[in-house]
Amino acid sequence: HLQVPRDLYAPPGVNGITVGNDVVIDLDGHTLYGGANSGCGIIEDVTADRVCVKNGTLRNWLGAGQAAIQVEGTQTTVENVSIYHAYNGIRAGYGARVRNCFISEAEGLGVQATHESFVESCRILTVQGNGIVVGGNSQVKSCDVAGSVSVGTGIITGDHGLVLDCAVYNTTTGIVVGAYSVVERSAVSLHIKGPGILCGERSVIRGNRVTEGGSEWDEETFYADGIIIQGGGALVVDNYVADHNRYGVDSGPNRVALFRNIATSNALGNY
């Protein structure tokens, strides 16, 4: 267990703290600053499992392709951490837990983890790539994602994913989930070039609000649908889908169940 006693400044061109298995880094309210051309703020030694990083801030970790926190072993925990001005925010591996984190001004992605991971109560602002990316059997709950430069996808999960009580706005595409997934009680708006929600077969899309997709000024370049279902057997129920310059709900040739949805003001058709 390492409790950081003060703010720390890394020299130019190096990583901050290197960790091994079963290490807890408690920043204790302090900030870890990167120097010019710095790599990772906290990075594993080879592959480290069961690492925990908590309670502090990382700033200016801009090494190309690196992340402010890059611990890609199993069962990484990152909680109560803020990250400002990084190339990527957090990269973790299998079974990661990322809670109560804030990431702003990432040149790449916000949070990335592999299968069976859990991301909760995180806020991702002004990222230039994807906001939250997790593997199959993962959950994303109560998270906000906004990409001010309108590139990337807000939230991506693999098969058997869950996205619950999230908000995504000002991105290219809103929420993308694999087959057998659930997207529920979430809001997507101002997705400029791609669907608000894109799901695989036998998914459940329930109680979401998907609005304002595409651009009325440049419809050839910026076009968007509300909900797109790829594969049959999906349930789409109790959603509000409005104001897209393409379709509201589009399942193509796939057989899906549509109940109690409200779709309105979608330029090429509501269904």
Side-chain angles (χ1 to χ4, degrees):
H1 185 110
L2 172 63
Q3 184 166 324
V4 176
R6 61 184 182 277
D7 292 351
L8 299 177
Y9 297 80
V14 301
N15 297 317
I17 298 173
T18 300
V19 297
N21 290 333
D22 301 299
V23 171
V24 176
I25 303 293
D26 186 352
L27 294 168
D28 196 28
H30 297 295
T31 299
L32 182 58
Y33 292 92
N37 301 313
S38 57
C40 299
I42 298 172
I43 188 170
E44 60 195 340
D45 180 11
V46 190
T47 299
D49 298 328
R50 299 173 301 279
V51 172
C52 176
V53 181
K54 61 182 182 179
N55 301 335
T57 301
L58 293 92
R59 289 182 181 270
N60 303 331
W61 296 95
L62 292 165
Q66 305 299 308
I69 298 174
Q70 188 161 303
V71 183
E72 298 182 275
T74 63
Q75 298 177 321
T76 298
T77 299
V78 183
E79 56 188 5
N80 303 321
V81 169
S82 296
I83 296 172
Y84 298 90
H85 206 206
Y87 193 93
N88 295 300
I90 298 168
R91 276 185 170 160
Y94 175 86
R97 299 292 182 265
V98 181
R99 304 185 188 94
N100 300 317
C101 291
F102 176 81
I103 298 171
S104 179
E105 298 180 65
E107 295 185 6
L109 57 85
V111 175
Q112 182 180 47
T114 58
H115 290 66
E116 297 191 20
S117 294
F118 186 84
V119 182
E120 183 179 23
S121 300
C122 292
R123 195 173 188 203
I124 317 293
L125 299 181
T126 62
V127 294
Q128 297 186 38
N130 299 319
I132 298 171
V133 182
V134 291
N137 293 293
S138 295
Q139 299 183 15
V140 181
K141 295 183 177 181
S142 302
C143 292
D144 294 345
V145 179
S148 66
V149 292
S150 300
V151 297
T153 297
I155 298 171
I156 301 173
T157 80
D159 294 346
H160 300 277
L162 170 65
V163 178
L164 179 67
D165 293 327
C166 292
V168 176
Y169 52 98
N170 201 20
T171 58
T172 298
T173 299
I175 297 170
V176 177
V177 296
Y180 301 92
S181 294
V182 176
V183 181
E184 190 166 6
R185 299 201 308 263
S186 294
V188 180
S189 63
L190 300 175
H191 47 106
I192 67 165
K193 191 178 179 181
I197 297 174
L198 173 65
C199 71
E201 64 177 332
R202 298 188 182 278
S203 292
V204 176
I205 311 300
R206 178 167 48 213
N208 304 286
R209 183 179 180 88
V210 185
T211 60
E212 297 179 88
S215 169
E216 61 183 290
W217 297 282
D218 186 357
E219 295 185 0
E220 292 186 2
T221 304
F222 300 106
Y223 51 88
D225 300 272
I227 299 172
I228 291 183
I229 302 102
Q230 294 184 327
L235 172 63
V236 181
V237 59
D238 291 330
N239 300 283
Y240 178 82
V241 186
D243 299 314
H244 296 86
N245 61 3
R246 284 178 55 85
Y247 293 96
V249 180
D250 185 4
S251 60
N254 304 302
R255 291 189 175 185
V256 301
L258 303 173
F259 296 101
R260 299 191 303 271
N261 299 287
I262 297 174
T264 183
S265 301
N266 299 289
L268 298 186
N270 294 317
Y271 297 98

